[in-house]
Each structure stands twice: as structure tokens, then as C-alpha cells.
């Protein structure tokens, strides 16, 4: 029907726009002439969420956001920060899609900010990271996904970005229901 065609056209446009933003983000990530500067971390976090929004809706995954303030200014490479946000949210999505035991199809994104640090938390309810692989989670080329679904560099690159380019920390811990990945970045 014409209504179905319009719906599918809109869905395709949203997906194409998302892919275009992802490509632009990767292009910017590999640019060597970008300079460190102050930027609003929440703005770039929201852009990462928007890139994944259509796929999340399609997979019936809810995103809940909770932030302690409306604007968080950090210093660094904004496209790299957005890449890390994208990676953490995409990994939470994949954990939900491939979880052997699932509590809910929800990703909770929250932030805290004090006078010294900005901290971002991305939490899923997909059962957590098995203890036998927890020590490998940030290693290059380690993946729990099928061979054609992932290369195992996302969390490794995220670790390099947060630790080497922002002077921060990236970590995770399991909860009773899933995993919480966090990044902690010093404020100026």
C-alpha cells in the first residue's frame, strides 16, 4: 500500500542518515588535523544515541537517559568521544540481542559530574560479562560475536581514546542483571 511504502521510505531514510553520520564520524576519527578543544559531552552523547536510535526502535530496545546536569564541558577530541559513546551503546545493544538470558531490552545511560570528573555509565540488563572472559574484554581482536559480526577492536580503541587522549579511565562491572561500562574523564 502507499502507506506501507511511505513508512518503509522513511525508515530507509533514517537508516541512510544514520549510516552517513557513522561514516562521517569514522572519517573525523581518523583525521589527524583535529585539535583538542572544549565541547559539550552531552551533545555528542546524544548524537551517538541518535545514530543508533532507528536500529534500537527496530530491535525493540529502549534507551533511558538520566543526567545530573544539562551541559558538561570537557576538553579533548569531540569525534573520538562520540565514537566511544557509540561503541558502548552499540555493545550494550549487541549484548541484548545475543544474550543467553535477558532481564529486559533496556539500556540505561547516565552521567555524573563533580568538580574534578565527568563519568558516563552505559548499563544493560543482558546477564553480564562472563567471568572467564572478563580479563580479555579490552584486548585487541577479542570478540564474543560471530566471525562476521565483529572484529573485536571497538572496546580496545575506546580504551586507547579514553586513557591516552583524554587521560581518563574506562572500566566495567557486572550487576545482578547485566553489565555497566563506564568512562571517567578529568575536567580541565
Amino acid at each position: 500500500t502507499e502507506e506501507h511504502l511511505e513508512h518503509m521510505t522513511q525508515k530507509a531514510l533514517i537508516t541512510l542518515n544514520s549510516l552517513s553520520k557513522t561514516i562521517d564520524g569514522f572519517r573525523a576519527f581518523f583525521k589527524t588535523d583535529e585539535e583538542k578543544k572544549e565541547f559539550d559531552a552531552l551533545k555528542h552523547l546524544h548524537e551517538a544515541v541518535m545514530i543508533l536510535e532507528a536500529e534500537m526502535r527496530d530491535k525493540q530496545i529502549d534507551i533511558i537517559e538520566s543526567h545530573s546536569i544539562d551541559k558538561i564541558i570537557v576538553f579533548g577530541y569531540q569525534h573520538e568521544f562520540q565514537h566511544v559513546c557509540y561503541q558502548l551503546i552499540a555493545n550494550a545493544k549487541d549484548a541484548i540481542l545475543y544474550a543467553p538470558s535477558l532481564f529486559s531490552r533496556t539500556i540505561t545511560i547516565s552521567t555524573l559530574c563533580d568538580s574534578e570528573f565527568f563519568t558516563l555509565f552505559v548499563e544493560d540488563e543482558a546477564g553480564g560479562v562472563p567471568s572467564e572472559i572478563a580479563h580479555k574484554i579490552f584486548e585487541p581482536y577479542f570478540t564474543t560475536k560471530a566471525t562476521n559480526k565483529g572484529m573485536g577492536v571497538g572496546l580496545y580503541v575506546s580504551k586507547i581514546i579514553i586513557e591516552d587522549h583524554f587521560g581518563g579511565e574506562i572500566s566495567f562491572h557486572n550487576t545482578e542483571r547485566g553489565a555497566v561500562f563506564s568512562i571517567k574523564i578529568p575536567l580541565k
Side-chain angles (χ1 to χ4, degrees), residues 7-175:
H7 172 74
M8 294 307 291
T9 301
Q10 289 302 316
K11 191 174 178 181
L13 287 172
I14 290 169
T15 302
L16 287 172
N17 188 34
S18 172
L19 291 172
S20 177
K21 286 182 179 181
T22 301
I23 291 167
D24 289 344
F26 279 113
R27 186 179 299 127
F29 174 71
F30 289 110
K31 278 174 62 174
T32 57
D33 60 346
E34 183 180 11
E35 293 181 24
K36 281 187 168 185
K37 61 183 175 181
E38 287 186 346
F39 65 92
D40 181 2
L42 287 183
K43 175 183 178 223
H44 291 281
L45 169 61
H46 291 307
E47 288 178 5
V49 170
M50 285 177 33
I51 291 169
L52 290 161
E53 199 169 41
E55 185 178 3
M56 296 291 194
R57 266 194 315 272
D58 186 50
K59 304 290 184 189
Q60 299 175 340
I61 297 172
D62 295 319
I63 295 179
I64 298 171
E65 291 190 66
S66 172
H67 306 293
S68 59
I69 57 178
D70 295 331
K71 191 174 192 175
I72 300 171
I73 303 299
V74 297
F75 184 76
Y77 301 105
Q78 61 191 19
H79 291 102
E80 289 185 3
F81 175 78
Q82 186 172 334
H83 171 80
V84 172
C85 294
Y86 174 90
Q87 188 63 52
L88 294 180
I89 299 165
N91 277 10
K93 171 198 57 112
D94 290 343
I96 289 169
L97 293 178
Y98 302 112
S101 62
L102 183 65
F103 289 92
S104 81
R105 299 180 74 80
T106 302
I107 297 170
T108 303
I109 301 169
S110 57
T111 56
L112 291 175
C113 193
D114 60 27
S115 61
E116 295 183 61
F117 295 99
F118 161 64
T119 308
L120 167 69
F121 303 95
V122 178
E123 181 175 359
D124 65 60
E125 296 187 9
V129 177
S131 59
E132 62 270 11
I133 64 166
H135 66 285
K136 297 180 183 180
I137 206 82
F138 293 107
E139 290 181 5
Y141 308 111
F142 176 77
T143 183
T144 59
K145 299 172 190 148
T147 307
N148 62 342
K149 297 288 184 190
M151 298 181 346
V153 295
L155 288 175
Y156 172 70
V157 169
S158 296
K159 181 177 173 63
I160 289 172
I161 289 170
I162 295 303
E163 291 180 355
D164 295 350
H165 298 187
F166 283 87
E169 302 171 4
I170 186 169
S171 62
F172 83 93
H173 68 275
N174 285 329
T175 66

